[in-house]
Amino acid sequence: ALERHGGIDILVNNAGITRDGMFHRMSFEQWQAVIRTNLDSMFTCTRPVIDGMRARGFGRIILISSINGQKGQIGQTNYSAAKAGMIGFTKALALENARKGVTVNCIAPGLVQTDFAKYLWENPELLKTVTEPAPLKRIGQPDEIAGTAVYLCSPASAYVTGQTLVVDGGLTIAW
């Protein structure tokens, strides 16, 4: 992409896996798989494009975290730690690059109907335990997260950097 298009102006880091389990039973392999995928991917995707963004005086970097990076989640110590790390990465990178025209922001989705949480769609009773407390009484759709990313790439968000936008149907305020 760098060679073909002469640079990348917008980067969305949307890598994520889970290896759920209670921490006292979690293996180092479970921990490391999640940290490597969810955190190391930010470095390996961002590092090759940041110099070009800075040189051109424009760039938009968006990281897809999770509400679990803000509130934590039972059985997801590794995932919650990784997603919280993304929020810290966002703030630090925003501070380093704001004067060069590069904004860095984070989206923290709640539950979104993707294959990532397919086990919920296959278990209506379990799904109900998640949606019932949410003010909007439903799960998010991928286009709702994508719409937030589009906003963060648009001129309307030029004054937004270092922020985490929670897109969760009000779930975190209800818990």
Side-chain angles (χ1 to χ4, degrees):
L2 290 171
E3 290 174 16
R4 184 174 185 178
H5 299 290
I8 293 175
D9 292 331
I10 298 169
L11 173 66
V12 178
N13 284 304
N14 188 30
I17 64 167
T18 60
R19 296 293 183 267
D20 295 349
M22 300 298 278
F23 184 76
H24 66 279
R25 294 186 189 132
M26 186 175 291
S27 70
F28 183 70
E29 289 75 24
Q30 288 172 292
W31 173 268
Q32 193 172 43
V34 171
I35 297 302
R36 281 194 168 163
T37 299
N38 298 3
L39 284 179
D40 288 355
S41 62
M42 291 183 310
F43 181 89
T44 58
C45 291
T46 306
R47 185 63 191 94
V49 302
I50 193 71
D51 288 338
M53 289 178 174
R54 289 171 58 91
R56 288 187 302 281
F58 179 84
R60 299 288 181 259
I61 298 173
I62 300 162
L63 301 146
I64 308 298
S65 180
S66 168
I67 59 171
N68 292 344
Q70 293 183 317
K71 70 173 198 59
Q73 181 65 287
I74 294 171
Q76 289 192 330
T77 304
N78 50 2
Y79 182 79
S80 296
K83 293 302 183 173
M86 294 178 82
I87 294 168
F89 181 93
T90 296
K91 292 178 182 305
L93 198 63
L95 287 168
E96 291 179 7
N97 292 284
R99 292 184 186 223
K100 294 294 187 177
V102 179
T103 64
V104 185
N105 290 290
C106 191
I107 301 171
L111 188 58
V112 180
Q113 190 168 355
T114 64
D115 287 344
F116 191 73
K118 188 177 179 182
Y119 66 95
L120 285 170
W121 327 141
E122 296 169 350
N123 187 336
E125 288 302 313
L126 183 57
L127 181 61
K128 186 177 178 180
T129 66
V130 176
T131 57
E132 192 58 35
L136 293 181
K137 303 287 186 213
R138 66 179 181 84
I139 56 172
Q141 296 302 307
D143 64 332
E144 292 170 313
I145 307 307
T148 305
V150 169
Y151 161 72
L152 290 172
C153 295
S154 76
S157 73
Y159 197 57
V160 179
T161 194
Q163 301 304 307
T164 300
L165 282 68
V166 175
V167 184
D168 72 347
L171 191 57
T172 51
I173 62 171
W175 277 347

